[in-house]
Structures are given as structure tokens and as C-alpha cells.
Amino acid sequence: MAGEGESARPKVSAMTTELAAANIPATGSQLRSLVTADGKLELSLVDIAIAPPQPDEVVISVEAAPINPSDLALLLAWADVSKASVSGSATSPILSADISARALEGMAGRVGQSMPVGNEGAGTVVAAGSSEMAQALLGKTVALAGGSMYSQYRVVPAALCLAFPDGTTAEEAASSFVNPLTALAMVEVMKREGHTALVHTAAASNLGQMLNRICLADGVALVNIVRKPEQADLLRSMGAKHVCDSSTTTFADDLTAALIETGATLAFDATGGGTLASDILSAMERAANASAKEYSRYGSSVFKQVYIYGGLDRRETTLSRNFGLSWSVSGWLLTPFLGKVGMETVGAMRARVASEVKTTFASHYTRRVSLAEALSVDAVQGYAKQATGEKYLITPHS
């Protein structure tokens, strides 16, 4: 992770002339997550020395960093935050919570390590190295997916930064990687694997709304699955044509009808647990059989794919196996996919995000918290719920 390199830098005992001129302090606060040997989660703030940038580096004053579901495993270590407690002071709190023995089994490698957190964020470049690339970013609003973003300052290679047009705020740019690139990647997967339409669960989320806007703009048929009537109403108000509410008694029939109309045979499931992946495959099988010319005891020959990319539902994934033999359920992660498609494709995706950050890729936040406030019991219990439509934003300098 990019943030781990900070500890290997020479420690700065005093402000350099360059950093002092930019009014950058000698140290900045950073949120850390620690798993102790006795099975405790400890979240705290530590002071990190800010080193002057190397020629190809920049110093970013981080002004906004979202709390994504993908941050929570490292941040909370599957601890039981329902009984969390806070000690320390208002400016330097320490949140503690118990980790179950089962969850602790998979974390032997991080016990005793104080780990920086935060996949992405945005801010202003306040100092830059001597290279042309670094100097070109000075004073710009940039976004970064470099880890350790729940920090007041980050010193990073200029090449990792995504610069935005003048007038873009850090809050607008903060969620420029995880959700936008995931949504764009879903459409790219669809094209590369020979599918013609998509199914997406937890579709009223920030990511789901982005995917809906992408599909509307690009002419891609999208079946949105939500869990509440108000979420369905929200998506329909945004132009979504196919919205299926899993809380209704007609969900199976509604989903099958939408799949018949769209021909979708690829789904991305953010919930992971329970029967939803199985329900989607079953509906795909019914849709395929609706136009079948003859019966096959092996089920339809139409290949059906569900990718699980999240874990909003922590239950086991249950499959009913009533959808023939031409199917697959597998995990999917953004980073390995980006590594496969090459820099040209990734560059085009990043450029689209930068140009449409105020429209297609706009994010909405329900609560903004400082680094210290992010360690309050109330806030931790709030973002740990991973509730659709309730997104938290950390503002490190507030």
C-alpha cells in the first residue's frame, strides 16, 4: 500500500524552508487501525512527519476522503462495534471494540501493526517536487487512490494523482476512484465477456446511481435491484427503466420480466450473502427458457454469470441450483481487473471521471466528520451499517 512507504522516509526533525513557505506543518494527523493480541480493535490518531517531496512527488492537503464499504474490513477488522467504547481526549480519542475469535483467526498477519486506512480521497497540492509533472499540479485539486487517505497530508508520486478542472472542489473529487471506476468496469466487463445488458444489486447506492447514469448515457440496458420502495422511486425519478424491489411479493416475476425484456445474463451483486445471487440466476434461467424451442434436462444453454463484489449481507451465500448447468458465481475485485485491461483503458476511464465528476460521477454524502469525530461511537456505528444511501465523508482538517 502506498501509505506504508511513509514510515521508511527519513524523519523530519524541523520544517524545511520549502514546506515552511507553503505553511505546511512538520506533522499531520493520521487515522490508524490496530488489532491487538488479546482480540481488540483500537482506532486512534497518530502524528506523522511530513517529508519534503522528492522531484516527482507532491504534498497533498487532504480535504475529503469517503468511507467506502471496501474500507471497512481494514478499518474495523470485523469488530463488534455495537459495544464499542471510547477513551482518551476529544482531540485524540481511542475507540476500542471486541473482535470475535473466529474473525481474529484470519488476521494473524496484522496483529500488533498500526495500519493507516482510507482507499481514496482528494485535496489540494500544496507543495511539489522539481519535475515538470509535479510542478504542473501545484495548487490543483487532485484525487488519489493511494491508501492512507484518512490523513491530513499525503506525500505521493505525482503520477498517481488525477487532476480536476478549476472550480472542482475536493468534496466533488473525493470519490473519484472506487465507485466511478467500478461502475465503468462493470460495463467494460459486460462488453469483454460478450453480454449485452447488466443486473446490479443495492442499486440505489452512490455506485448504483453512477452506473444507472452511465448506462442511460451509453445505451446499455440495466436491471436495478433494490430493497425498499423509496429506493425504487428514487431510481425511477433518475430515469431508470427497470427497477425491481426485492421486498415485494412480485419480485421474482418482476425480475424475470425485466430479464426477458433486456436479455441480461450478467449480474454484479453487492450483497454477497443470502439467496439473492441464486434468485438472480433462477430468474435468468426462467427468462432463457421463455424463448426456448425445446426442453433440455440440463437446463438452458444460455451462460449466466453473477459476480459478487461486496459483502453487505454477511450471511453465507446460498444457491438453490434450479438454474441448469450453464452458470457461474465468482468474486470480483476492481484492482485486479484494472491490472488486466491495461493503462490505455484505465486512462480513458480516469479521463471520463475527471470530465464528468459533477454529473455522471457525482457523489452525495449524508454526514461529514472530522478525523476525531470518525472515532466516535455514534459515527462508527453509523458507517458500519453500510446502509444504502448513507455515505460518510471524512474531512481531515475540520
Side-chain angles (χ1 to χ4, degrees), residues 4-55:
E4 294 171 353
E6 295 172 356
S7 60
R9 290 179 172 276
K11 297 299 182 182
V12 180
S13 58
M15 291 283 285
T16 65
T17 302
E18 180 183 4
L19 296 184
N23 294 318
I24 301 172
T27 63
S29 291
Q30 183 179 85
L31 195 158
R32 292 292 188 96
S33 175
L34 171 69
V35 173
T36 65
D38 59 348
K40 296 275 189 182
L41 167 72
E42 289 187 0
L43 301 182
S44 63
L45 302 180
V46 299
D47 287 331
I48 301 297
I50 304 168
Q54 298 298 307

Side-chain angles (χ1 to χ4, degrees), residues 88-148:
S89 65
T91 55
S92 297
I94 300 174
L95 182 135
S96 299
D98 292 328
I99 302 173
S100 69
R102 181 178 179 181
L104 197 61
E105 289 176 357
M107 286 183 273
R110 64 166 291 188
V111 171
Q113 296 187 57
S114 178
M115 305 188 73
V117 194
N119 285 330
E120 66 176 335
T124 304
V125 175
V126 292
S130 58
S131 74
E132 184 177 349
M133 178 183 291
Q135 284 292 312
L137 294 176
L138 192 59
K140 295 284 189 180
T141 296
V142 299
L144 173 71
S148 310

Side-chain angles (χ1 to χ4, degrees), residues 95 104 211 237 390:
L95 182 135
L104 197 61
L211 181 60
S237 73
E390 295 183 17

Side-chain angles (χ1 to χ4, degrees), residues 223-237:
V223 178
N224 300 275
I225 296 177
V226 298
R227 294 178 285 184
K228 297 178 181 179
E230 56 268 30
Q231 294 171 348
D233 292 340
L234 172 64
L235 286 174
R236 291 191 181 101
S237 73

Side-chain angles (χ1 to χ4, degrees), residues 345-368:
T345 298
V346 175
M349 294 165 69
R350 284 169 51 120
R352 181 172 181 180
V353 173
S355 64
E356 300 177 27
V357 72
K358 294 176 182 283
T359 53
T360 306
F361 303 104
S363 290
H364 305 283
Y365 306 97
T366 56
R367 185 171 175 183
R368 294 154 184 81

Side-chain angles (χ1 to χ4, degrees), residues 60-66 120-125 140-144 164-165 167-176 357-358 363 365 393-397:
I60 303 172
S61 174
V62 182
E63 297 156 16
E120 66 176 335
T124 304
V125 175
K140 295 284 189 180
T141 296
V142 299
L144 173 71
F164 288 84
T168 305
T169 67
E171 180 170 317
E172 289 170 334
S175 295
S176 295
V357 72
K358 294 176 182 283
S363 290
Y365 306 97
L393 184 73
I394 292 180
T395 53
H397 289 279

